[in-house]
Amino acid sequence: MNNDKRFAVLIDADNVSDRYIKNIMDELANEGIVTYKRIYGDWTKPALASWKNVLLNHSITPIQQYSYTTGKNATDSAMIIDAMDILYSGNVEGFCIVSSDSDFTRLASRLRESGMYVIGMGERKTPQPFVNACNRFKYLEVISGSLDKEKKSQGESIEHVSDFMPPDAVKKAIFTILDEVSDEDGWALLSEVGNILIKRCPSFDVRNYGYSKLTPFVDSLNAFDISSIPGAKGGVKYIYIKKK
């Protein structure tokens, strides 16, 4: 039985660069099956001309939305209306909203109220309310690897990027989770701790700090012991607060 979630991906062309599209689609392939692929904008504008080949290569349907009034974002309204139509069709279990615009905060909340799993994707400038309204939020600079290159060129450490949850805050959150879910000896499944951390902090991603896996990232915090069960299938790992 295939338990992959079916997703609708809705992209705000006014707030996303075409260079991120392959990364967006690759990331969603890890989450489930994308059944709706739509992108919204005024395609009569020369600024969106670069999208043509990208949309063809990824079979993304462009939705034309004229800017009827100066200062009003008609694209937002079209995305919201389509999202609700798709929701009521019952054909998906999740949505991916790709935008850095806080106007989609209420939409994300509404979709979650209806039992949808909502993934947000946007640039680091995305307002926190939209980030927190999603089940998970992924920064486009991170999933594309462009942040890593940017920081290396500037001689900075990824873990010090101010937009992300500081490592000390992550450490504190893990302490709290362990206090709640650990057994009588203080041990807890690392995977369970990671899942709870994401639920409480939708934008948490070890890639934000330059890591590809949870274990080395947690190990870098120098506050926890991580142990594997000998002979366990898949290398089940447990986490424990280091004794001082």
Side-chain angles (χ1 to χ4, degrees), residues 18-198:
D18 61 286
R19 71 177 183 272
Y20 292 126
I21 292 301
K22 183 181 186 305
N23 303 109
I24 291 169
M25 302 313 297
D26 287 349
E27 195 75 16
L28 283 174
N30 296 331
E31 301 286 346
I33 301 169
V34 179
T35 55
Y36 291 86
K37 294 186 282 187
R38 297 180 183 177
I39 185 166
Y40 302 77
D42 185 350
W43 303 103
T44 63
K45 292 181 178 179
L48 298 183
S50 62
W51 280 98
K52 181 178 179 181
N53 289 334
V54 175
L55 301 185
L56 289 173
N57 290 339
H58 294 278
S59 300
I60 301 173
T61 304
I63 306 297
Q64 171 63 35
Q65 191 59 48
Y66 293 104
S67 300
Y68 298 110
T69 308
T70 303
K72 299 290 184 180
N73 196 336
T75 296
D76 291 3
S77 299
M79 281 181 64
I80 292 168
I81 291 170
D82 270 11
M84 298 312 293
D85 285 344
I86 295 170
L87 169 66
Y88 292 126
S89 74
N91 293 328
V92 298
E93 290 80 43
F95 282 81
C96 178
I97 303 171
V98 186
S99 179
S100 303
D101 193 337
S102 63
D103 287 350
F104 295 108
T105 302
R106 180 63 188 125
L107 173 62
S109 298
R110 177 64 183 82
L111 293 172
R112 289 185 65 181
E113 288 171 0
S114 294
M116 294 290 107
Y117 187 82
V118 180
I119 298 173
M121 294 189 190
E123 295 181 329
R124 283 163 49 200
K125 64 183 179 181
T126 305
Q128 201 62 37
F130 178 38
V131 172
N132 292 338
C134 302
N135 291 97
R136 292 205 69 179
F137 191 90
K138 306 189 181 198
Y139 291 101
L140 294 174
E141 295 94 338
V142 172
I143 67 173
S144 68
S146 60
L147 177 65
D148 193 7
K149 296 175 184 176
E150 175 189 337
K151 289 300 170 183
K152 284 182 179 178
S153 68
Q154 296 175 5
E156 298 179 43
S157 170
I158 291 179
E159 67 182 34
H160 294 130
V161 176
S162 60
D163 310 57
F164 302 148
M165 188 178 183
D168 283 346
V170 177
K171 187 189 303 183
K172 184 177 180 181
I174 295 176
F175 279 136
T176 301
I177 294 169
L178 281 173
D179 186 54
E180 296 171 359
V181 304
S182 61
D183 62 20
E184 292 181 357
D185 295 321
W187 290 92
L189 277 169
L190 180 60
S191 58
E192 181 183 5
V193 172
N195 288 335
I196 294 173
L197 186 58
I198 290 171

